[in-house]
Amino acid sequence: MSSTIAPVASLPATRVASGLPPWAGLGILFGLLSAASIALWGPIGVSGTYPRVIGAAAQVVDPGFAATNPYLVKMGALIKPETMLVIGLLIGGFLAFRFGARRPVPSFAILHAMETTPARRYANAFIGGALLLFGARLAGGCTSGHIISGITQLSLSGMVFGAGVFVAGIATAKLLKRGY
């Protein structure tokens, strides 16, 4: 096992014609698209799509149960803008993986020291994702709903939640790095 991390290729620091770095222009575009999305469809998030998928499956398996379950009824029909967002995220992730530039990545042994096989890594990722989704639904929404839609609407709860997520993420990264 290697204990060193391969350097990641750095991107050139270029600026667009406006003089802004590319990330700033993309941030402005993202903000405008988020505002348009909220104006046209209302706040969006992705965690609500999953109970809609369960509701659609339940409708096929046991229509009576699906029709009398208040949570599934509240979540509504499967095809909504959020569903299209989830499908777009899956397609975009696949296309980025398939056609994106390949860069050196940190060693598997360093990033996933407790996951000795790809099967164990995928199983842990699935379990972690399921727990994350359960927590998001328990909290009434996911990070995209609370942070993206919330901050776009200048919601105090969205800004507090976003700050908390970043603080917790930075602290966790520092703790994990100390372990290596």
Side-chain angles (χ1 to χ4, degrees), residues 3-178:
S3 63
T4 61
I5 297 177
V8 176
S10 61
L11 297 173
T14 59
R15 295 188 177 273
V16 290
S18 66
L20 294 173
W23 60 265
L26 291 173
I28 291 168
L29 178 62
F30 181 78
L32 292 172
L33 287 173
S34 294
S37 171
I38 290 169
L40 294 172
W41 294 288
I44 63 167
V46 296
S47 68
T49 298
Y50 301 99
R52 287 189 193 97
V53 169
I54 299 299
Q59 187 67 30
V60 170
V61 174
D62 187 358
F65 170 76
T68 58
N69 184 301
Y71 183 69
L72 295 179
V73 170
K74 179 183 108 175
M75 293 311 295
L78 176 62
I79 304 301
K80 291 198 170 198
E82 292 91 347
T83 308
M84 297 301 109
L85 176 61
V86 170
I87 291 169
L89 289 169
L90 293 170
I91 292 169
F94 172 77
L95 292 175
F97 170 76
R98 181 73 176 96
F99 300 111
R102 303 283 189 233
R103 295 188 187 105
V105 295
S107 164
F108 182 87
I110 296 295
L111 283 179
H112 305 282
M114 302 302 290
E115 299 167 343
T116 54
T117 66
R120 189 167 176 187
R121 180 179 178 194
Y122 292 133
N124 286 345
F126 180 81
I127 292 167
L131 290 172
L132 186 70
L133 182 59
F134 177 76
R137 293 313 313 151
L138 192 62
C142 59
T143 53
S144 59
H146 284 298
I147 295 175
I148 297 170
S149 292
I151 291 175
T152 302
Q153 298 175 86
L154 301 176
S155 159
L156 180 60
S157 63
M159 290 185 231
V160 169
F161 180 76
V165 166
F166 280 97
V167 167
I170 291 167
T172 301
K174 288 184 177 279
L175 285 171
L176 288 174
K177 185 172 180 171
R178 201 179 299 163

